[in-house]
Amino acid sequence: MTLHPSFSVIVPVYGVERYIERCAESLFAQTYDNIQFIFVNDGTKDRSMELLRALIDTKYSHLKPRIVLVDKENAGLPAARKTGLEHAVGDYVLHVDSDDYLELSAVGKLASAAERTDADLIYFDLVKEYPARTSYKREKDYSDCGRDRFILNIINGKSMGYLHIKCFKRSVYTGQPIYFAPCGCYEDIYASIQLIWYSRTVFHLREYLYRYDRSNPLAHTLQDKRKRHIQFCENMLDLYKHFAPDLNGTPAEVAGPSLLFRVAWYTWIHKLDYFKSEPWFAEAIVLAPCSTNYYIPVAVQLILKLICRLNVNGRQEVKSLRL
């Protein structure tokens, strides 16, 4: 157990000149002092980094030894997070989106929880701020029921997949390969599935520490639904393939069937071509067990299995004709 643990806070920066000062102020003014601040400029084209640097120079120059500013070409949110991790030295890693902000006591409360529990994962609650209302979101407690239920509930929409309300030991990131999503939407679910799986101990800190601003028009969550669903498919198929063909003992062992059925549902309703472009995918759906615990209802699962069976049989018939 580490006393007075250190924290690395990673903040990707892109198109947030309206929000960056508020975010940075909430970090630099934390009541806890053992914090490394990492801002990754993901090739932003606005004044975000200019405003950030001015704030540091005029008000927080004494924190410069603990502030890391990284400039890189635009490659999207997952790549920015990965770049930030390459510079992290803290015992724990916390992600903050640059259009959101933390309660000023957030890291101090996380540090106290870390000292008490030595947990690999400390997750907490958040406040969603809309233009006309505020919503308090309390997460379920998974301290006793384990990581499997946590992962499954995230996939099934019963728990929050947000990476920014999960504080992991840095050793969880470095102890095994962690893959990063190819697309921005649902990249937090992609990462959370892996990181929760590799966390031996989990602790729920019942505190509203994170302020999630839902007013940014550039946010991934405000993109067109079809586009978001396509990116979900791209990300989850990519994640699944990292651990195939032997899923046992991997993050996809629990998540696999539910993920596949959700991708199959989006493939069907949006008339996508994944059944053809990923031949293994339809076959995996045919073999996947149905369950009431999945995101997609059982009746729809059965329909999807039938559609996939027709796709598989059709390919086999074509193959036999070619032979």
Side-chain angles (χ1 to χ4, degrees):
M1 184 177 296
T2 303
L3 296 178
H4 200 57
S6 57
F7 289 77
S8 292
V9 181
I10 298 173
V11 186
V13 179
Y14 184 84
V16 287
E17 63 181 16
R18 289 174 52 190
Y19 311 96
I20 186 62
E21 291 172 300
R22 181 186 64 183
C23 175
E25 288 264 13
S26 79
L27 302 180
F28 297 151
Q30 286 290 308
T31 57
Y32 189 75
D33 62 352
N34 200 3
I35 308 173
Q36 175 196 28
F37 308 97
I38 304 170
F39 295 87
V40 181
N41 171 19
D42 188 32
T44 188
K45 298 177 182 178
D46 66 358
R47 298 176 59 241
S48 296
M49 294 305 296
E50 177 185 340
L51 294 171
L52 175 60
R53 288 187 170 94
L55 178 67
I56 294 170
D57 288 340
T58 59
K59 194 172 180 180
Y60 295 101
S61 59
H62 61 288
L63 294 179
K64 283 186 176 181
R66 293 194 275 130
I67 299 173
V68 179
L69 302 181
V70 183
D71 294 313
K72 61 182 292 294
E73 292 184 2
N74 178 254
L77 182 56
R81 295 199 199 281
K82 182 179 181 181
T83 298
L85 283 165
E86 293 168 358
H87 295 267
V89 297
D91 298 309
Y92 283 85
V93 173
L94 181 63
H95 295 274
V96 176
D97 290 348
S98 47
D99 50 356
D100 302 331
Y101 58 106
L102 290 181
E103 296 291 344
L104 297 185
S105 60
V107 181
K109 290 179 177 178
L110 287 168
S112 295
E115 290 179 346
R116 295 196 312 271
T117 67
D118 196 36
D120 289 338
L121 162 59
I122 303 170
Y123 68 98
F124 44 96
D125 305 315
L126 84 163
V127 181
K128 287 187 176 183
E129 296 185 339
Y130 297 89
R133 64 185 178 90
T134 298
S135 175
Y136 289 81
K137 297 295 182 181
R138 176 78 75 188
E139 183 59 282
K140 294 179 174 63
D141 195 332
Y142 296 100
S143 301
D144 297 323
C145 63
R147 63 188 182 182
D148 291 9
R149 177 56 55 183
F150 199 175
I151 291 171
L152 199 56
N153 277 356
I154 286 175
I155 298 166
N156 296 341
K158 297 178 180 179
S159 281
M160 295 179 283
Y162 306 132
L163 193 59
H164 51 237
I165 58 170
K166 299 174 180 65
C167 183
F168 292 93
K169 278 186 177 178
R170 187 163 59 89
S171 58
V172 177
Y173 286 94
T174 60
Q176 51 278 311
I178 299 295
Y179 302 104
F180 290 83
C183 305
C185 282
Y186 300 100
E187 56 83 27
D188 44 3
I189 291 179
Y190 185 110
S192 292
I193 289 171
Q194 299 174 77
L195 295 166
I196 293 171
W197 176 265
Y198 293 124
S199 297
R200 296 166 300 171
T201 50
V202 174
F203 178 72
H204 179 205
L205 179 59
R206 294 173 62 85
E207 297 274 1
Y208 296 103
L209 302 182
Y210 195 93
R211 294 276 174 167
Y212 182 13
D213 191 327
R214 298 303 305 274
S215 66
N216 184 0
L218 297 179
H220 285 294
T221 52
L222 297 180
Q223 289 183 5
D224 170 77
K225 181 181 288 188
R226 186 176 190 275
K227 182 176 181 180
R228 286 190 286 114
H229 286 175
I230 291 173
Q231 291 198 13
F232 179 91
C233 294
E234 292 285 341
N235 280 344
M236 298 311 151
L237 289 174
D238 180 82
L239 178 63
Y240 192 90
K241 286 188 288 187
H242 277 299
F243 300 104
D246 184 7
L247 302 180
N248 293 331
T250 74
E253 181 178 6
V254 174
S258 185
L259 277 180
L260 292 178
F261 275 118
R262 190 167 173 181
V263 173
W265 169 245
Y266 292 155
T267 297
W268 186 31
I269 64 174
H270 294 303
K271 296 180 174 58
L272 307 176
D273 67 350
Y274 296 115
F275 294 143
K276 295 180 180 179
S277 64
E278 303 284 353
W280 63 268
F281 174 42
E283 295 173 8
I285 292 293
V286 171
L287 298 174
C290 294
S291 173
T292 56
N293 292 325
Y294 298 162
Y295 181 85
I296 303 301
V298 170
V300 179
Q301 294 173 38
L302 292 171
I303 293 172
L304 292 171
K305 286 173 77 71
L306 176 60
I307 292 170
C308 289
R309 187 177 295 278
L310 293 173
N311 273 273
V312 171
N313 291 341
R315 284 200 305 275
Q316 290 175 344
E317 290 176 5
V318 169
K319 184 177 179 181
S320 65
L321 287 173
R322 287 175 179 171
L323 292 174

